[in-house]
Amino acid sequence: MNCKYCCVTCGAEADELSHHYKEGVIKIIHCKECQNPVDPYIELDDLLVFIDFVLLKLRAHRHVLFNIDKIKYNHIIKLSCALILANAYIKWFHLKNDQYQSIINQDHHIFYALEYGFYSNLFESFLEYTIRFGLIFLIAFAQWRQNWTRDRSMLLFRALILSSIGQLFILPLLIWSPDHRDYYGLLMSFIFTILCHTQALNASRLFSSLMSFLSSTIAILLSKYLLSIVSQNSFL
Ligand SMILES: [Zn+2]
């Protein structure tokens, strides 16, 4: 991985995205392989990039993964903490609604007072992500073996964290309908996360398209299954 950037159209490596001349002229660099601009997204607003990312466009995933310098490693760590907290809150929220009858009976104050359920859900959330990402790392390591490098580990971790943002989309649903379980939203988020992981792994050039889909699906299903053995909310 000597080249820093990536052509969003064909995935070929590139040395730079644009060239700045002394007169203030900026020239967009074209790809040596496909002759298209290496990254047209550098001229677009971040919101448009985000929309294309959510729409699972491979070009947008390549742009986010390789060509945005301002997403630093500490941002990825912070986002991973936010994902674990959001996942734990979703589990805890549904645990609270399991006790809805106790809310009607006005004896639910113990649930809020103790809050121990939240911390066990936080641990479950951490465990779920560890199992999911660990499995994908194992598959990648088995595939690359001696050619596996620290750069590839960083790239894979970045791809997995950025493609997990579907988890955050459930939070507005909980605010919108706080008094019942929203299985439909959870299912949509579940499917979106599989597809987003698939696209991100495919964009990372570490897996083929088929392996990206299979490893994402197996890792997510297996992490849910293993967690269901110890969790009260096995379907979340
Ligand atoms: Zn190209």
Side-chain angles (χ1 to χ4, degrees), residues 7-12 31-38:
C7 169
V8 298
T9 305
C10 69
C31 174
K32 292 170 185 168
E33 299 291 328
C34 67
Q35 311 307 321
N36 288 307
V38 171

Side-chain angles (χ1 to χ4, degrees), residues 23-41:
E23 298 79 16
V25 176
I26 301 172
K27 182 190 173 192
I28 301 293
I29 302 298
H30 284 64
C31 174
K32 292 170 185 168
E33 299 291 328
C34 67
Q35 311 307 321
N36 288 307
V38 171
D39 192 347
Y41 282 110

Side-chain angles (χ1 to χ4, degrees), residues 73-167:
Y73 187 65
N74 61 332
H75 295 138
I76 299 295
I77 295 293
K78 285 176 186 173
L79 181 59
S80 62
C81 293
L83 289 169
I84 291 170
L85 280 170
N87 194 17
Y89 179 74
I90 291 162
K91 291 174 188 293
W92 185 73
F93 178 89
H94 286 84
L95 182 65
K96 176 170 72 68
N97 278 10
D98 276 347
Q99 311 216 350
Y100 188 61
Q101 190 57 45
S102 70
I103 294 173
I104 296 171
N105 297 339
Q106 298 297 316
D107 62 350
H108 60 286
H109 56 278
I110 296 173
F111 180 84
Y112 292 107
L114 293 177
E115 286 190 1
Y116 66 89
F118 180 76
Y119 298 106
S120 63
N121 282 327
L122 192 64
F123 176 70
E124 285 173 14
S125 175
F126 175 76
L127 201 61
E128 183 181 341
Y129 277 110
T130 305
I131 294 169
R132 185 196 301 179
F133 292 171
L135 281 169
I136 295 176
F137 264 90
L138 276 177
I139 294 169
F141 185 71
Q143 187 170 303
W144 287 85
R145 292 178 187 163
Q146 293 93 337
N147 296 323
W148 190 253
T149 59
R150 187 173 177 272
D151 282 345
R152 289 199 169 97
S153 297
M154 301 280 279
L155 176 65
L156 182 55
F157 185 64
R158 181 182 168 101
L160 289 172
I161 292 295
L162 289 174
S163 59
S164 299
I165 56 165
Q167 192 76 56

Side-chain angles (χ1 to χ4, degrees), residues 126-210:
F126 175 76
L127 201 61
E128 183 181 341
Y129 277 110
T130 305
I131 294 169
R132 185 196 301 179
F133 292 171
L135 281 169
I136 295 176
F137 264 90
L138 276 177
I139 294 169
F141 185 71
Q143 187 170 303
W144 287 85
R145 292 178 187 163
Q146 293 93 337
N147 296 323
W148 190 253
T149 59
R150 187 173 177 272
D151 282 345
R152 289 199 169 97
S153 297
M154 301 280 279
L155 176 65
L156 182 55
F157 185 64
R158 181 182 168 101
L160 289 172
I161 292 295
L162 289 174
S163 59
S164 299
I165 56 165
Q167 192 76 56
L168 300 177
F169 299 160
I170 300 179
L171 295 178
L173 292 178
L174 300 186
I175 297 167
W176 186 260
S177 54
D179 292 335
H180 70 277
R181 291 172 178 275
D182 193 344
Y183 294 113
Y184 181 71
L186 287 170
L187 180 64
M188 291 300 288
S189 163
F190 180 71
I191 294 169
F192 177 79
T193 303
I194 288 179
L195 295 176
C196 207
H197 275 341
T198 302
Q199 203 64 300
L201 294 179
N202 193 18
S204 72
R205 300 182 298 219
L206 296 173
F207 295 87
S208 65
S209 302
L210 180 64

